[in-house]
Amino acid sequence: MAPVNILIVGCGIAGPTLASFLLLANIPAEQKPRITILERESTGIAHLRGQNIDIRGAGVTIIRKLGLEAQIRASTTGEEGVRMVDERNRIWTENPADKTGTIQTGTSDIEILRGKLAELCWRNSQRISAEAEREGAAGIEYIFGDYLDDIQQHGNQVTVRFAKSRETRSFDLLVGADGMQSRTRKMVWGEEGEKDRLKRLGMFAGFFSIPRKDHDDNWRRWFHAPGRRGIMLRPDGLGVRSTILMYVVNETDPRFVEVATRGNGGIQAQKALLEEYFKDAGWECDRIIREMKATDDFYYDAVSQVKMDSWSKGRVVLLGDAGYCASPISGLGTTLAFSAAYKLAGYLQPYIKGETSDISAALAQYNDQMRPIVEDAQQLAPGMPHLINPETAWGIWIMRSLVSALSYTRTFFYMIKLFGRILHLGPQAADYVPVEDFGFKDMSMWEVQDTAE
């Protein structure tokens, strides 16, 4: 029987992780799948950008299995915690990172830039692929700078066309790991259904980086302004730039949705709208607006969640944000990506081994087992994101005072731990994601050997 042929769209975090575990499965080399990873961006910029993200709970267990823990910990941003500041840069409260990993606070003990993490996952998948090839497997084929413009399913095959090369190829399984705005999802499930699948949370954000100043230390500074406006300024781990999340919680100004749509002014219109909203806000907004205009890594979108009844359709399956984005304010997107890739690889093993010719059982198991995990991740605290972003200056003062008092008495941390344990709510939910034993080769031994060398 010929090896299963799998196409993974997206070379971010979930895609290379899935490919890695598929090759680490306890399967004879000649039966291991032929894997192609397609990434729209070119190799020059595909992994260089992205905001601060974290790895928590089950995600830490999985990066350890991949042999990536030491590399990732050596590449963190070094964020010490979160400080709430006012328009004069006065610190109202600070919540340090929990370096022990026992309490999942706003700052994880592993904070890293998304681009760096994606690069580490990609490089590690190359290493695993090379090892698999030495053992006689096909390994991973990487295609950068192209994308799909047609997907058709016929019986036991998915036939796709590459937009730039115009090549047509067939696969046994297509995995869409191409992010919240997934083209794979739109092409297979239909563009017309996007309004029901993408659930906006009333928050619109610009993500970018600016040159670091001397006073930009390793603490995240979080500034609130009336009108439910906010900015987070965070370290990049290199001491070169500071990353910015500039957002507005607003459900009345239609321009926030309009500028997110192609054909409505593009990036310049998005930057102009954020400038309009923050030009009078105080703090360091003038500096941030000035640098926003000059930056070339700006990204804007509506903060949203992706909700679907099923993440598979025939022989197409969605992975990570493409199928169930929990939004940046959940703090669990990276853990979902790692956990889902790990589980999908495990459930596919009987099909890849030829023990069954029916792939639908594996995809159904993936849907069933990931459903409660996704529901926990997408369950936001009551009132979010409005509650933590008051409308008035008086509301901001009350919020700062309350958070300051709770933090000073440590009540804040006990509440996080309690609600995380009881409701699987917030960052603490990452600790309750199960990590089954699928018999994958444990790459943590490679990491030990590398360290010894």
Side-chain angles (χ1 to χ4, degrees), residues 59-117:
V60 179
T61 301
I62 292 170
I63 63 172
R64 191 173 297 134
K65 288 178 176 290
L66 285 170
L68 275 174
E69 184 178 13
Q71 293 181 63
I72 288 174
R73 288 189 181 276
S75 304
T76 58
T77 63
E79 184 170 292
E80 294 292 337
V82 185
R83 284 173 172 162
M84 281 191 175
V85 298
D86 63 15
E87 61 280 356
R88 298 183 186 178
N89 204 38
R90 294 176 299 187
I91 300 169
W92 277 72
T93 184
E94 64 179 40
N95 294 307
D98 179 63
K99 300 297 184 180
T100 68
T102 58
I103 299 178
Q104 298 291 356
T105 63
T107 296
S108 167
D109 60 323
I110 301 180
E111 296 277 347
I112 187 170
L113 294 182
R114 182 205 171 275
K116 184 60 180 177
L117 179 58

Side-chain angles (χ1 to χ4, degrees), residues 86-88 223 225 231 278-286:
D86 63 15
E87 61 280 356
R88 298 183 186 178
F223 169 69
I231 297 177
F278 282 91
K279 63 184 178 182
D280 62 344
W283 188 52
E284 297 195 33
C285 290
D286 288 346

Side-chain angles (χ1 to χ4, degrees), residues 199-414:
K199 305 295 183 182
R200 297 194 188 100
L201 301 180
M203 180 175 173
F204 301 86
F207 307 84
F208 53 98
S209 67
I210 65 175
R212 177 183 169 122
K213 295 285 189 180
D214 290 341
H215 63 276
D216 295 342
D217 56 20
N218 284 340
W219 283 83
R220 182 196 325 184
R221 287 187 288 156
W222 189 358
F223 169 69
H224 292 81
R228 304 193 192 280
R229 297 172 290 170
I231 297 177
M232 290 187 191
L233 185 151
R234 308 179 69 177
D236 71 345
L238 301 174
V240 177
R241 299 183 72 80
S242 295
T243 65
I244 301 294
L245 164 60
M246 175 186 278
Y247 65 86
V248 180
V249 179
N250 186 304
E251 296 173 280
T252 59
D253 189 338
R255 293 179 297 168
F256 283 106
V257 175
E258 291 169 1
V259 299
T261 306
R262 291 182 180 179
N264 283 287
I267 288 177
Q268 293 309 313
Q270 295 163 0
K271 290 183 177 181
L273 182 58
L274 289 177
E275 178 184 5
E276 176 184 329
Y277 267 79
F278 282 91
K279 63 184 178 182
D280 62 344
W283 188 52
E284 297 195 33
C285 290
D286 288 346
R287 167 202 171 192
I288 292 170
I289 290 170
R290 182 176 64 253
E291 298 296 349
M292 176 185 68
K293 291 179 179 179
T295 191
D296 64 352
D297 65 355
F298 180 87
Y299 174 76
Y300 170 94
D301 209 342
V303 175
S304 307
Q305 294 183 332
V306 177
K307 301 205 173 191
M308 302 177 66
D309 294 332
S310 175
W311 304 305
S312 62
K313 189 172 185 179
R315 288 177 173 259
V316 178
V317 62
L318 300 176
L319 180 64
D321 282 356
Y324 34 82
C325 176
S327 85
I329 60 178
S330 74
L332 291 169
T334 312
T335 294
L336 278 182
F338 278 124
S339 300
Y342 178 84
K343 292 178 186 298
L344 181 57
Y347 301 145
L348 284 170
Q349 285 188 80
Y351 172 72
I352 293 171
K353 290 178 180 178
E355 296 173 357
T356 175
S357 60
D358 183 11
I359 197 173
S360 62
L363 300 183
Q365 189 175 15
Y366 166 71
N367 273 287
D368 291 343
Q369 296 300 312
M370 282 300 300
R371 182 66 56 182
I373 298 170
V374 169
E375 289 177 353
D376 281 347
Q378 292 186 332
Q379 182 182 356
L380 303 178
M384 289 292 288
H386 298 73
L387 186 63
I388 198 68
N389 294 288
E391 177 67 37
T392 66
W394 176 241
I396 292 173
W397 184 90
I398 293 174
M399 179 199 66
R400 287 172 178 164
S401 300
L402 179 61
V403 173
S404 179
L406 291 174
S407 300
Y408 180 77
T409 61
R410 302 290 292 178
T411 305
F412 185 69
F413 301 102
Y414 296 130

